Amino acid sequence: MMPQSGVVQPAMAPMSIDQYQQQAPPTQQQQQWMMQPPQAQQPQFQPQAQPSWGQQQQQQPMSQQYGATNPSPSSNVNPNELRSLWIGDLQYWMDENYLSTCFYHTGELVSAKVIRNKQSGQSEGYGFLEFRSHAAAETVLQTYNGALMPNVEQNFRMNWASLGAGERRDDSPEYTIFVGDLAADVTDYVLQETFKPVYSSVKGAKVVTDRITGRTKGYGFVKFADESEQLRAMTEMNGVLCSSRPMRIGPAANKKPMGTPQKGMAVSPFHLLC
DNA sequence: ATTGAGCGG
């Protein structure tokens, strides 16, 4: 049986973003919502920071509407780049249409997909956004990650799509420290820049925030490529000011154990008969 | 507020 074979129904009129406030149930037929320009006015919302799209920002020509002869939105893409973002914390009613509406104005979105449970069709709460280029995806990530989502009191949560699909990033080892006592205004960037001038192997910093409100929880993590710098930072940076408060540094609890546990290795006696 | 975090076809 092919539970979702055949008919795809993208033909519903593009919703205005206001309609999502009514929390419409998900349209289960929609596997993937390819970009189709809204006919009506395109909804606007203000992210916390304005994207910098250069000259091609707003006006997406209406020429690529439904026609088979028109260039598809996926023309111009470089297939060798990492162009997909993972997006999480989605409500069940946030479908492909909603996501497309969120990023349509960039003119850089190729497709949006919500991952659904195969049986129930319910959203699994995450999805993928594919853009024309790595640069476009990066701009979206920097601009919208943590910014308010349209019409909900919740922030975008996104990251590079990294697992599966051969879009593997970087498997070089990294060494992480825990940083506590962070002031409310400390962002990822501020935290990273507190360390980077001193420790050149700093790969990134993450301030942990509340999923819903986006507010900081007052602690975070800094990742180093170099283990010796990690160890130095543990002692040298403890008590050093970050923004307005002295940091409290400790070892990071291991988020992911190094050895991937093998499971399902129980031997069935039936195998011995084959 | 003090140890994140979610990845398909």
Side-chain angles (χ1 to χ4, degrees), chain A residues 19 23 31 67 81 97 129 152 172 196 200 208 212 214 234 259:
Chain A
Q19 293 174 265
Q23 305 215 339
Q31 287 277 50
E81 292 180 322
N97 203 338
L129 305 167
V152 286
S172 59
K196 188 89 183 208
S200 59
V208 177
I212 306 301
M234 295 259 301

Side-chain angles (χ1 to χ4, degrees), chain A residues 178-200:
Chain A
F178 169 88
V179 184
D181 288 351
L182 297 178
D185 64 329
V186 175
T187 62
D188 290 356
Y189 182 77
V190 169
L191 184 58
Q192 168 168 326
E193 289 309 303
T194 303
F195 286 81
K196 188 89 183 208
V198 190
Y199 307 99
S200 59

Side-chain angles (χ1 to χ4, degrees), chain A residues 12 36 48 54 77 84 116 125 127 136 163 189 212 218 237:
Chain A
M12 56 192 303
Q36 291 171 343
Q48 287 165 1
V77 301
S84 292
R116 294 193 165 81
L163 305 182
Y189 182 77
I212 306 301
M237 297 298 277

Side-chain angles (χ1 to χ4, degrees), chain A residues 82 84-86 128-129 159-164 167-169:
Chain A
L82 303 174
S84 292
L85 298 181
W86 179 93
F128 295 91
L129 305 167
N159 210 331
W160 289 106
S162 56
L163 305 182
E167 294 194 359
R168 197 133 281 110
R169 308 261 326 154

Side-chain angles (χ1 to χ4, degrees), chain A residues 60-139:
Chain A
Q60 183 70 2
M62 281 300 185
S63 56
Q64 38 180 253
Q65 200 156 285
Y66 306 110
T69 58
N70 293 329
S72 95
S74 54
S75 63
N76 291 334
V77 301
N78 181 347
N80 298 320
E81 292 180 322
L82 303 174
R83 304 163 6 244
S84 292
L85 298 181
W86 179 93
I87 180 167
D89 290 355
L90 300 179
Q91 311 272 359
Y92 75 95
W93 54 269
M94 294 174 172
D95 58 8
E96 286 81 356
N97 203 338
Y98 174 84
L99 293 179
S100 299
T101 304
C102 293
F103 299 101
Y104 174 79
H105 69 280
T106 67
E108 298 286 334
L109 184 66
V110 174
S111 68
K113 181 161 67 168
V114 172
I115 302 306
R116 294 193 165 81
N117 181 285
K118 279 196 169 57
Q119 277 81 36
S120 66
Q122 281 277 356
S123 167
E124 296 281 3
Y126 70 91
F128 295 91
L129 305 167
E130 181 188 0
F131 294 89
R132 291 176 194 263
S133 67
H134 180 83
E138 186 162 48
T139 301

Side-chain angles (χ1 to χ4, degrees), chain A residues 45-51 105 143-144 147-148 156:
Chain A
F45 72 97
Q46 300 293 333
Q48 287 165 1
Q50 282 294 338
H105 69 280
T143 306
Y144 291 98
L148 263 182
F156 281 113

Side-chain angles (χ1 to χ4, degrees), chain A residues 209-221:
Chain A
T209 55
D210 182 276
R211 281 196 338 171
I212 306 301
T213 67
R215 274 202 291 258
T216 174
K217 290 187 173 176
Y219 64 89
F221 299 88

